[in-house]
Amino acid sequence: MTGTPTRWWQHATVYQIYPRSFADSNGDGIGDIPGIVKRLDYLAALGIEVIWLSPIFDSPMADNGYDIADYQAIAPIFGTLADFDTLIAEAKARGIGILLDLVVNHTSDRHRWFVASRAGREAACRDYYIWRDPAPDGGPPNALQSTFGGPAWTFDAASGQYYFHQFAPSQPDLDWTNPAVRHEIYAMMRWWRDRGIAGFRMDVINLIAKEPDRGITADGPKLHDYLQEMHREALAGRDVMTVGESWSVTPETALLYSGRSRNELSMVFQFEHVMQQWHATWGKWQPAPFDLVALKRIISRWQLALAEDGWNSLFWSNHDLPRAVSKYGDAGRYRVASAKMLASVLHLLRGTPFVYQGEEIGMTNMPFASIAQYRDIETLNMHRLHLEAGLPEADFIAGANANGRDNARTPMQWDDGPNAGFTTGTPWIAVNPNFRTVNVAAAMADDRSVLAHYRRLIGLRRRLPIIVAGDYAPWLEDHPDIVAYTRALDGDTLLVLANFRAAPVTIDVPPALRGNWPRLLEDGADTLGAHRTLAPFEVIAGLRTAHAAA
Ligand code: TEU
Ligand code: CA
């Protein structure tokens, strides 16, 4: 089979750490690298083999580190380079590799390149960024808008020119058409690579080849040339894993990024299923009903498109997205059941699964009462702009609670002690009050916990080739409440049948799925007749092997 997965990262499960909110070792209220080192045994026991670390580099933290001032220094609030080397070594000793977050579409405006660049039209590094003369009326060169709201151009009075930024004005875009910029970045990547990291997660990699004069932001014509050059210069010959973030990738372009013979990336993060659930007018800032049939269609399209070549990443949540139980499950009465169901549905697909810190204990979105509790630059900007555009305050807060970034960035809940065991000081953002019941210590003591379920799923992926390699087929595609799929390998069949509703749902079982299904995650078997009623958020995961009697 041409699509047989042979690379280590096709077999691994990744855990995302948002360092600020993971574990604070020194009581300043901010998570840090020594805090992560202390929790490595916990992560090793979970079975993960890779950690994606959100940015830990020196930064003024306007966007919590996605605004980098020095790519080769660690932010003092997170620790030192020696702490980082300890993390690499201690993780490696437990069979865990570290992915760094490569944020090279833009830098911070405090980066020495930008400080030099803005010194004047003839300044050194002027051409590391994108400077343009004003339009004839003195306004911005064109109407391009930034992701965080407002124009993508900011005027610099001293030099009389505008600079380009796809995010905040304090995040100026690098000019990738300049070979000097590209070669600085590759050298920096080699420097980290040679410290022993396992690879990179690449922030908004679809945006690097922008051509703002032509109105092009995502997927510029030179994008794949740059990625192939990056591969040659910084990745080739090393067995690293790379995952590129792209909000514009399609199944077709995913094959360009991750095709075996392309020499670009291992895989991409795609967000079609996320954006599909947004409000038509107000985007994510107004809750929209959850459309399961559309979600299933997108999952199937990606599973099938990348079956023979390329590779999928699998995730429900990250630091920019709502927590999975709150978004797709039930954060109340059925929290545990729905968290387990979502985990099974995701982890038994074909691809590399990513677990966002806290997801493995079923952490929920923290609801905030007012805008005063938010810290996030995107949410604060969008609040101002959406209210100006006529969205009522209460609607915005409801939208932000459903989809805002801070609601999923609250501190990791370790135990039921003060501040959930995250810090002995004052946490940088509020702890979710449900930490008294939702915490790691409680989950460790309960073999029916969400955590126990994640451990089993992650362990199974390491043992059962069908989870990594099996062919995917969808079932009951138009059913509004049920997700159903099978995986097939060498005569074995794995079945996943999941109820996404807080109510019992009865289905007509397709003839091919009837019969006996030995349970994958528990003892015993499920026997499916012509009809089957699934309890609220119940998931059936069964494995029929070719040699066992059906
Ligand atoms: O995110 C890319 C991005 O476009 C998000 O800002 C996303 O579009 C938004 O949250 C949806 O409304 C990456 C990082 O993951 C994010 O944390 C950074 O803020 C952003 O890039 C800029 O570096
Ligand atoms: Ca700290």
Side-chain angles (χ1 to χ4, degrees), residues 16 18 52 54-55 66 101 201 203 245 317-321 356 404-406 408-409:
Q16 182 192 354
Y18 196 65
W52 154 26
S54 276
Y66 284 91
D101 210 319
R201 176 267 185 185
D203 195 60
E245 184 204 26
S317 304
N318 68 29
H319 66 295
D320 293 331
L321 303 177
Y356 175 53
R405 309 199 294 182
D406 276 350
R409 293 176 176 182

Side-chain angles (χ1 to χ4, degrees), residues 54-393:
S54 276
I56 47 156
F57 313 98
D58 193 27
S59 162
M61 302 286 163
D63 187 14
N64 292 352
Y66 284 91
D67 48 326
I68 296 174
D70 184 344
Y71 287 109
Q72 281 162 271
I74 304 291
I77 56 166
F78 293 145
T80 63
L81 203 50
D83 293 331
F84 180 77
D85 288 338
T86 303
L87 172 62
I88 293 278
E90 291 291 325
K92 199 167 273 174
R94 291 165 178 81
I96 297 173
I98 305 282
L99 299 188
L100 285 180
D101 210 319
L102 188 76
V103 188
V104 290
N105 172 67
H106 47 271
T107 68
S108 162
D109 60 354
R110 311 272 186 87
H111 194 288
R112 64 188 158 78
W113 298 338
F114 192 74
V115 173
S117 181
R118 77 182 321 167
R121 289 186 187 224
E122 305 305 321
C125 300
R126 185 71 167 179
D127 59 357
Y128 275 36
Y129 295 87
I130 301 169
W131 292 94
R132 295 290 182 268
D133 288 332
D137 68 355
N142 62 35
L144 286 176
Q145 294 290 300
S146 73
T147 299
F148 289 162
W153 299 96
T154 289
F155 188 60
D156 174 56
S159 66
Q161 285 190 313
Y162 284 84
Y163 67 89
F164 182 68
H165 54 87
Q166 301 193 68
F167 294 89
S170 60
Q171 293 166 296
D173 269 49
L174 285 165
D175 185 353
W176 275 69
T177 66
N178 181 348
V181 167
R182 304 202 301 273
H183 290 287
E184 292 260 22
I185 290 167
Y186 306 149
M188 174 271 285
M189 290 173 71
R190 290 192 293 266
W191 188 81
W192 284 113
R193 185 197 72 186
D194 294 343
R195 288 194 106 83
I197 63 167
F200 295 98
R201 176 267 185 185
M202 301 183 183
D203 195 60
V204 288
I205 204 67
N206 61 322
L207 303 184
I208 59 173
K210 58 252 163 184
E211 294 188 10
D213 304 310
R214 298 170 59 203
I216 296 173
T217 53
D219 306 306
K222 302 279 271 187
L223 175 60
H224 295 282
D225 291 346
Y226 295 156
L227 289 175
Q228 288 174 5
E229 180 184 72
M230 175 192 279
H231 189 274
R232 278 195 308 276
E233 299 280 329
L235 305 168
R238 306 293 180 105
D239 197 8
V240 291
M241 163 179 173
T242 51
V243 48
E245 184 204 26
S246 172
W247 286 73
S248 58
V249 66
T250 63
E252 294 69 40
T253 59
L255 288 166
L256 301 179
Y257 286 102
S258 67
R260 263 188 309 280
S261 59
R262 298 277 306 170
N263 292 321
E264 296 189 20
L265 305 178
S266 312
M267 66 192 90
V268 288
F269 290 135
Q270 65 83 16
F271 297 88
E272 251 193 273
H273 59 296
V274 172
M275 292 182 283
Q276 201 288 321
Q277 305 295 332
W278 288 356
H279 189 271
T281 308
W282 298 105
K284 69 182 202 178
W285 305 104
Q286 170 80 292
F290 168 36
D291 182 344
L292 184 67
V293 173
L295 176 74
K296 288 195 286 186
R297 200 176 301 130
I298 292 169
I299 291 174
S300 289
R301 207 151 71 81
W302 281 84
Q303 287 287 302
L304 296 170
L306 274 58
E308 292 300 321
D309 193 16
W311 190 249
N312 271 301
S313 70
L314 308 169
F315 64 97
W316 289 127
S317 304
N318 68 29
H319 66 295
D320 293 331
L321 303 177
R323 289 200 171 270
V325 250
S326 301
K327 181 75 190 176
Y328 306 104
D330 180 312
R333 179 168 171 204
Y334 297 112
R335 185 186 65 83
V336 170
S338 66
K340 290 183 185 176
M341 180 279 284
L342 289 167
S344 294
V345 167
L346 192 83
H347 284 247
L348 298 174
L349 288 169
R350 185 179 161 105
T352 298
F354 287 70
V355 179
Y356 175 53
Q357 66 180 45
E359 180 184 324
E360 77 280 13
I361 55 167
M363 275 178 65
T364 61
N365 259 15
M366 161 90 171
F368 291 134
S370 84
I371 195 68
Q373 288 174 285
Y374 284 89
R375 307 278 176 272
D376 173 32
I377 185 169
E378 181 189 49
T379 309
L380 297 177
N381 285 351
M382 289 298 177
H383 174 252
R384 185 170 43 76
L385 293 167
H386 282 70
L387 264 56
E388 281 168 18
L391 187 68
E393 171 88 24

Side-chain angles (χ1 to χ4, degrees), residues 23-32 77:
D24 176 22
S25 71
N26 63 354
D28 67 355
I30 299 171
D32 45 52
I77 56 166

